[in-house]
Amino acid sequence: MESEEEGNWTTTIESERHWYAPDLRGLWQYRDLVMLFVRRDFVAIYKQSLLGPLWFALQPALTTVVFTIVFGHIASIPTDGAPPFLFYFTSVVCWQYFAGNVVKTSDTFVTNANIFGKVYFPRLTAPVSIVISNLLQFGIQFAVLACLIGWSIFQGAGVRPGPSLLLLPLLLIQMAALGLGVGLAVSALTTRYRDLAYLMSFGLQLWMYATPVVYPVSQIPQRWLWLAYLNPMTSVVESFRYVMLGVGGLTLELSMLGIAVTLVVLTIGLFLFARVERLFMDTV
Amino acid sequence: MTATAISVESISKRYQLGVINHGVLFRDIQSWWARARSLPDPNLKIGARTQAGNFNALQDVSFSVRAGETVGIIGRNGAGKSTLLKILSRVTAPSSGRIRVRGRIASLLEVGTGFHPELTGRENVFLNGAILGMTKPEIRRKFDEIVDFAEVGAFIDTPVKRYSSGMYVRLAFAVAAHLEPEILVVDEVLAVGDHEFQKKCIGKMQDVGAHGRTVLFVSHNMTAVNNLCARSILLRSGQVVADGPSSDVTRLYLKALDQGEQARWICPPDSSAGKQAYIAEMAVLDPQGTVREGYELTEDLRLRIRYHLSEAMGGITLGLQVSSDETGETIISLSDSELERSRLGVRRAGEHITEVRLPNRLLNTGVYSLRIGISRGRHEILDVAEGLAFRIIDSVGIVQYLGFERKGSQLAMQLPWTEEAA
């Protein structure tokens, strides 16, 4: 009797204050839920206003205009031979997908407090679905970018996306993973430190200027290059421009370094998130 | 003999009152840096103890449930029922102890979690089902049954924002009712919908129990508990006080309401120690200032609170909630600085006595509980007191005079009627 009682428990709920492995298996089991969250976000964006999708296209265009005037014309920063407008637009689309992922996943606990407080399901489904939903925005901006590039080629500008375009999905995955990792870490820390939420938008802006978004890698002084390469977004933005416009580019080793740093960030984010997810309801 | 489905092993849950951390990274680093150099923490009040007060929502709770059993969990507001539910649902973790579960567990603390107004009924069924742990094929298989049960018929492809509240609730409950977990933990979601629908839900729950599934049912509704559950567990102040046949346990619960719990609550001497602020006493008084067994609906009520501040403090707010014991719903929620902003200024150290008068014919007949909290600023709770119950009766009102029953309603408030001249 006693021996029959032992073992084969399906779930054990134990006390707090331990480190946990991220619940990746649960995430896989609930993959249907992830896709349903994505669908919900799509529907919500479309049904609320037609302006939503239009705004997605307009936002990078306006930023690009500002960058072209300030950095292209006033500061005259070289753009590796690419037309400045295309150069900035490409960088901005790439950066915004990453930054959007960070911003939206970082308040996972706050926006979902209502649902999280009532039902258990793997909490990771929420931020992962956000990263996928943001692809809608990226897709719209990417389509605009593709049109601009096509038009420039037609006009005879010196841009030429090559066969490396096939690497695009990999780059997207890296952007998503990095944005998710940073967002998860911030979301875990903001449950404890609310002031971090204010710091984040400022931090992201600083990060953008530390990343070759408004300037190419070739403009970074030799002795700071090592630091630039430790920033995983450097390799993402530079590679994205290489893939789309055929300017700049990185060696394989440096891309691998970027990927390695991305994986480290993602792992840290996942663990911090797993630590907080079980107890945050007591503090929100 | 059937196997154990749920084994709850000395679960405790402690909530910290007061400052959990500064909530501000800069201050935490400052404190940490000071401690690291063994200097006094600049963010601590001089002489204050680092240990803030704790509130034990659950203390050493143990029980086990066999597979196929339907067990009721009852207790007054604040007895620890909802904390236990939250732990079982894995919404929060216990402070100590553990729970082992055999089989898939699903909990319903609310129906319609995650419903999005813009989505159609169909889309919401899938979303809500997935949140509750169903897979897509599972939902697809039950879809027709769910729609039938909810009686929404042709509206299934309409966005739920256009649903009437009745339809909304029916659809939400229908999804929940078609979950097929081995263990189902249910909060008082049955307290929704019209009477017909409630009966249907109770029928559905009985089905679940009859199919060898384990059900934990948390409720204030003693009739439902008696009907559904052979066994019940009574919680009081975070501890199990009775565990046995439902008829005995519910009788004990109702008896405790009648005599044990009084309309006066006095802070136990040891629990105020070390607190910056605490509720010393709360009482419900009749207009003459006496504590009674029942209060007439036709008389005003005086809610009297005595609290104590260890030092002069600013930004203090006293909160008061009156909730119905039958439904658990909060009927009145007041804060003493709402109408009088000046109360947010500094309040002197020492004892304060304050009173709220509830006008007559506000609360309907029934049993109510009172909960008082002291908070400072936005997220700092200094003290919470609960465990006071009082009964409103009506033995002299107009209804008695006319000789019929008062119609059920949350409030008994009466408003003037005017008649137009013919």
Side-chain angles (χ1 to χ4, degrees), chain A residues 21 28 60 85 126 133 138 168 185 202 217 220 238 272 274:
Chain A
W28 178 245
F85 191 80
S133 301
F138 179 80
L168 195 65
F202 180 63
V217 170
I220 301 174
E238 187 72 5
L272 282 175

Side-chain angles (χ1 to χ4, degrees), chain A residues 5 8 10 13 39 193 282, chain B residues 4 13 28 99 102-103 123:
Chain A
E5 281 286 286
N8 66 57
T10 35
I13 302 168
R39 199 188 145 78
Y193 301 112
D282 301 342
Chain B
T4 309
K13 178 73 184 177
D28 261 20
I99 297 177
R102 194 173 278 143
E123 290 164 329

